Amino acid sequence: MKNALLLLSIWVGILLVAYAMVYWDRGVEPPLPISVLEPASSTYVDPSGRFSLAVPSTWNVEETGTSVLLTDPSGEIEVAAFAVEESVPESALLVALGIAGGDEPSEAIAVAEIPPVGASERAVRMAGPAIDDGTSYGLAYLYEGETIVLLVRGADEALRDRAADLGLIEAGITVPASAVEETVPVEEAAPVVEL
């Protein structure tokens, strides 16, 4: 009888410990996964304050005196942003996309008005010429006689795979730059490649 009572008390103790482990701290939330704690993006602010961009957390940022180049982790997509002294956004995009200044394009260029952002007066989206296994396009925002140009080029598959990141960049542009405390660190080693 003594052994049975000892075994019963051991089993009751195990059950109480298990119950306490499972139900004791029901009010405490579990820790957040690492992916939730990392910011989805940061903000790049043009040194002259003309524009700011949302930058996906995994993208690289390189800056030269007049432009910034964002590159996806695979290196297959480039997004360049810069300001030019041009009061016609379509003209700025034609030059930036390499369509103007040479022979007339053989195809009609798709141009669409898009909603302006921030204090910009007008905004335009233009399809660019086809590149090796890819696509190029540009966005232009007119603000106080200058045009802020955003050029995107990359392989079609990479553009599809990174559509959410590109949407974040396009939706996160502010003209003029928004006041932000934290900016993206910029790598100073490599120069920006002309698009």
Side-chain angles (χ1 to χ4, degrees):
M1 184 77 173
K2 240 179 174 184
N3 288 340
L5 190 56
L6 181 63
L7 287 174
L8 179 63
S9 62
I10 291 175
W11 279 107
V12 170
I14 291 173
L15 289 174
L16 287 175
V17 169
Y19 179 83
M21 290 175 64
V22 172
Y23 295 105
W24 188 268
D25 284 335
R26 278 297 187 168
V28 176
E29 294 182 21
L32 295 172
I34 297 296
S35 62
V36 175
L37 297 175
E38 295 176 0
S41 69
S42 52
T43 303
Y44 168 81
V45 179
D46 174 57
S48 301
R50 296 173 292 194
F51 63 91
S52 61
L53 294 172
V55 179
S57 61
T58 58
W59 285 52
N60 299 317
V61 178
E62 296 176 23
E63 182 182 62
T64 63
T66 58
S67 66
V68 63
L69 180 68
L70 311 178
T71 310
D72 77 313
S74 69
E76 295 183 47
I77 301 172
E78 294 177 343
V79 178
F82 51 91
V84 293
E85 290 186 27
E86 174 61 60
S87 60
V88 180
E90 292 87 352
S91 297
L93 281 175
L94 284 171
V95 172
L97 288 167
I99 298 171
D103 297 332
E104 289 297 316
S106 58
E107 303 173 3
I109 304 298
V111 179
E113 289 279 333
I114 58 175
V117 297
S120 63
E121 302 156 27
R122 279 188 68 218
V124 175
R125 181 183 183 103
M126 182 180 291
I131 57 174
D132 296 336
D133 298 327
T135 304
S136 65
Y137 65 91
L139 306 168
Y141 303 92
L142 177 63
Y143 176 68
E144 293 184 354
E146 281 190 328
T147 300
I148 310 304
V149 176
L150 190 70
L151 295 180
V152 179
R153 60 186 300 186
D156 290 334
E157 186 176 334
L159 291 172
R160 277 191 301 278
D161 292 345
R162 296 278 183 184
D165 287 349
L166 292 169
L168 178 75
I169 294 168
E170 292 176 23
I173 189 166
T174 305
V175 178
S178 60
V180 247
E181 295 176 12
E182 183 180 332
T183 59
V184 175
V186 176
E187 297 176 13
E188 297 184 20
V192 173
V193 176
E194 293 287 327
L195 292 180

